[in-house]
């Protein structure tokens, strides 16, 4: 940036230096107390010293509301950005990011976060601690799963996850009742229906715990070691209404298509207590299981085609 910028334009509020080949943003930025929008996309930023030191502590850290650094060379979210507590919009798309730092939760005012077109493989649960986040763009990455904590983003209106490696969504995502846009195209989950992914045989401890819970065997804290009492408190009920069983660690992971606000059907992960509970909507008999598997396969094919058409392209 040119020297004397703050002297020439002391009241500057919007600065666009996109596509100028910049490799660093100088300390002149720190002397612009009214700057609220900084656009520096499609440059060569990303190396050491790309951003001025003390960015978060300067007056700019309080005034800046919009920052666009898309199309640069950042391999990580610059720690200096995490001090911009007044930031409402952050764009880092088309960089070389491999992850999202948990400290992203420090940007409490953030409403718009664009991280598409990177190499991100996972989403930290701390992202759910952004109370004002309304637009989250994570498309064109390598994300394999969504943390269930994301359902705590009660302000979320738009979630872009297309062109990732998702095979399922957590059931908790149904809690995003204000979500208006959900993009999932280009993920395995829209064309693949997976049943009975894994099942580990229950341990003797789990078998005993299941017996105590399902038969309502009475016990007191004085009867058992503390660790076993704690273990028994972790029992989860099988979602099959005709089963009534429980599970602790060993369960059947299964994909089930669930209607989402009447708009489209989502493949969500749910957990059954045993392979016999192949369908929570039917009995566990072998004959009905065989029929339900066939019906589910047909349902899956129809739902997959519907999702391809409906989910934003």
């Amino acid at each position: 940036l040119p020297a004397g910028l703050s002297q020439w334009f002391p009241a500057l509020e919007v600065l666009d230096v996109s596509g100028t080949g910049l490799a660093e943003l100088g300390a002149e930025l720190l002397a612009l107390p009214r700057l609220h929008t900084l656009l520096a996309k499609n440059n060569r930023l990303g190396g050491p010293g790309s951003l001025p030191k003390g960015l978060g502590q300067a007056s700019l850290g309080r005034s800046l509301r919009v920052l666009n650094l898309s199309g640069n060379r950042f391999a990580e979210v610059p720690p200096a950005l995490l001090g911009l507590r007044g930031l409402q919009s952050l764009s880092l798309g088309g960089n070389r990011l491999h992850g999202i730092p948990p400290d992203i939760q420090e940007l409490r005012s953030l409403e718009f976060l664009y991280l598409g077109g990177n190499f991100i493989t996972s989403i930290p649960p701390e992202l759910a601690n952004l109370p004002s986040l309304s637009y989250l763009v994570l498309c064109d990455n390598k994300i394999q799963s969504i943390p269930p904590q994301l359902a705590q983003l009660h302000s979320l209106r738009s979630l872009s996850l297309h062109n990732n490696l998702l095979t399922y969504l957590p059931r908790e995502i149904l809690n995003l009742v204000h979500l208006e846009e959900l993009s999932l195209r280009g993920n395995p989950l829209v064309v693949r229906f997976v049943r009975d992914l894994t099942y580990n045989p229950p341990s003797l401890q789990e078998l005993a715990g299941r017996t105590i819970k399902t038969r309502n065997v009475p016990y007191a804290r004085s009867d058992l070691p503390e660790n076993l009492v704690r273990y028994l408190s972790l029992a989860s009920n099988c979602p099959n209404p005709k089963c009534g069983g429980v599970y602790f660690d060993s369960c059947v992971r299964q994909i089930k298509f669930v209607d989402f606000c009447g708009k489209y059907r989502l493949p969500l992960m749910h957990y059954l207590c045993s392979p016999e509970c192949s369908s929570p909507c039917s009995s566990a008999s072998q004959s009905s299981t065989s029929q339900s598997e066939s019906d589910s396969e047909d349902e899956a094919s129809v739902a997959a085609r519907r999702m391809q058409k409906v989910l934003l392209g």
Side-chain angles (χ1 to χ4, degrees):
L1 294 178
L5 181 65
S6 60
Q7 298 176 0
W8 300 337
F9 307 105
L12 193 65
E13 297 182 354
V14 178
L15 177 60
D16 188 350
V17 291
S18 301
T20 56
L22 284 175
E24 65 178 62
L25 299 174
E28 285 294 320
L29 279 177
L30 305 182
L32 297 172
R34 299 186 184 181
L35 190 68
H36 60 71
T37 299
L38 174 58
L39 310 177
K41 55 186 180 180
N42 301 327
N43 282 300
R44 295 185 292 118
L45 301 170
S50 292
L51 302 178
K53 294 181 179 180
L55 183 61
Q57 288 72 41
S59 59
L60 185 64
R62 296 184 294 274
S63 65
L64 201 60
R65 296 290 181 268
V66 177
L67 177 60
N68 191 328
L69 296 173
S70 292
N72 280 285
R73 303 176 181 180
F74 290 102
E76 62 178 10
V77 176
L81 299 187
L82 303 178
L84 301 174
R85 302 303 171 85
L87 204 61
Q88 296 175 353
S89 175
L90 174 61
S91 298
L92 279 165
N95 277 276
R96 303 171 182 177
L97 305 180
H98 284 79
I100 306 172
D103 286 343
I104 194 78
Q105 64 182 335
E106 301 298 328
L107 301 179
R108 304 284 291 178
S109 300
L110 209 58
E111 299 176 5
F112 177 92
L113 179 59
Y114 189 103
L115 298 174
N118 283 287
F119 303 95
I120 298 170
T121 58
S122 62
I123 303 171
E126 289 80 3
L127 193 64
N129 296 330
L130 298 175
S132 301
L133 194 64
S134 298
Y135 299 89
L136 177 58
V137 181
L138 295 167
C139 60
D140 300 293
N141 278 288
K142 299 180 181 297
I143 299 170
Q144 300 182 40
S145 63
I146 303 298
Q149 290 86 348
L150 224 59
Q152 299 171 20
L153 292 171
H154 301 301
S155 297
L156 202 62
R157 297 290 186 272
S158 177
L159 177 58
S160 296
L161 294 166
H162 53 272
N163 298 331
N164 276 285
L165 302 176
L166 298 171
T167 56
Y168 70 93
L169 297 177
R171 176 172 295 273
E172 288 82 357
I173 204 169
L174 293 177
N175 294 329
L176 296 174
V177 295
H178 295 114
L179 198 66
E180 299 172 355
E181 298 177 345
L182 176 63
S183 178
L184 292 170
R185 68 180 186 274
N187 281 282
L189 63 80
V190 300
V191 294
R192 181 180 174 192
F193 182 67
V194 183
R195 294 181 59 86
D196 299 343
L197 295 180
T198 59
Y199 179 69
N200 296 318
S203 64
L204 292 178
Q205 177 176 271
E206 173 143 351
L207 289 174
R210 291 187 181 195
T211 300
I212 291 174
K213 286 294 186 178
T214 56
R215 298 187 179 182
N216 295 318
V217 176
Y219 64 91
R221 287 186 174 274
S222 57
D223 299 331
L224 300 172
E226 182 180 351
N227 64 315
L228 292 181
V229 174
R230 185 167 55 251
Y231 179 80
L232 289 172
S233 69
L234 299 177
S236 299
N237 294 322
C238 182
N240 186 346
K242 296 186 177 181
C243 173
V246 300
Y247 64 87
F248 295 88
D249 302 311
S250 300
C251 58
V252 177
R253 295 194 303 160
Q254 188 184 67
I255 300 295
K256 175 178 173 59
F257 280 96
V258 175
D259 186 61
F260 183 51
C261 300
K263 297 179 180 179
Y264 32 72
R265 296 171 65 82
L266 299 178
L268 300 177
M269 184 69 79
H270 70 150
Y271 303 88
L272 300 170
C273 68
S274 73
E276 284 71 28
C277 292
S278 60
S279 174
C281 299
S282 64
S283 67
S285 67
Q286 292 296 324
S287 60
S288 62
T289 296
S290 176
Q291 181 62 43
S292 67
E293 287 179 349
S294 176
D295 293 344
S296 296
E297 292 295 340
D298 294 340
E299 181 185 38
S301 300
V302 173
R305 288 195 295 270
R306 288 178 58 192
M307 290 177 69
Q308 285 179 308
K309 295 179 180 179
V310 175
L311 296 181
L312 302 183

